[in-house]
Amino acid sequence: MAFGIRKQELEQWKEKVKNGEIAFLTHFWYDARFPHYTTVTKVGCSDLEKLLAWGAKYNLRPEWIHKRDSFPHFDLLGEKQKEILRKEGLDEHVKRFRL
């Protein structure tokens, strides 16, 4: 279950993904399978080769890509999420979601 994002943020993320850009969307999140995580960052791109190359630089495995609808993406959680957001210069995500 996602919360803490605006509809406009989701629409902008979807548009970037469809256009073949690497796009980031962080939001508060609850999933009973992962009760100790409160946020997730979805890193998406419709160009799978581009997404795979991006993920490889962070040691993300190809099988971790969620291929849902027109929005393939990696889900980032925990310390890996924080590390990647910082390396990508997305400190506002870290601050906004208190990572």
Side-chain angles (χ1 to χ4, degrees), residues 7-8 10-11 14 19 23-25 33 35-37 41 45 50 53-54 64-67 77-78 87 90 96 99:
K7 184 177 181 179
Q8 179 183 6
L10 178 60
E11 293 305 317
K14 287 180 175 181
N19 288 334
F24 297 81
L25 180 69
R33 298 171 298 166
H36 49 288
Y37 296 117
T41 297
C45 183
K50 189 174 186 179
W54 178 88
W64 294 345
I65 293 177
H66 295 267
K67 296 178 182 171
L77 304 168
K87 286 181 179 178
L90 297 169
R96 178 177 171 193
L99 303 178

Side-chain angles (χ1 to χ4, degrees), residues 53-91:
W54 178 88
K57 73 181 187 179
Y58 294 111
N59 298 314
L60 302 177
R61 296 181 184 174
E63 61 266 24
W64 294 345
I65 293 177
H66 295 267
K67 296 178 182 171
R68 296 192 184 135
D69 302 323
S70 302
F71 307 102
H73 65 277
F74 286 105
D75 284 338
L76 306 179
L77 304 168
E79 286 303 312
K80 192 71 161 176
Q81 173 189 21
K82 186 175 177 180
E83 170 196 339
I84 291 173
L85 287 172
R86 286 228 162 106
K87 286 181 179 178
E88 291 287 332
L90 297 169
D91 294 318

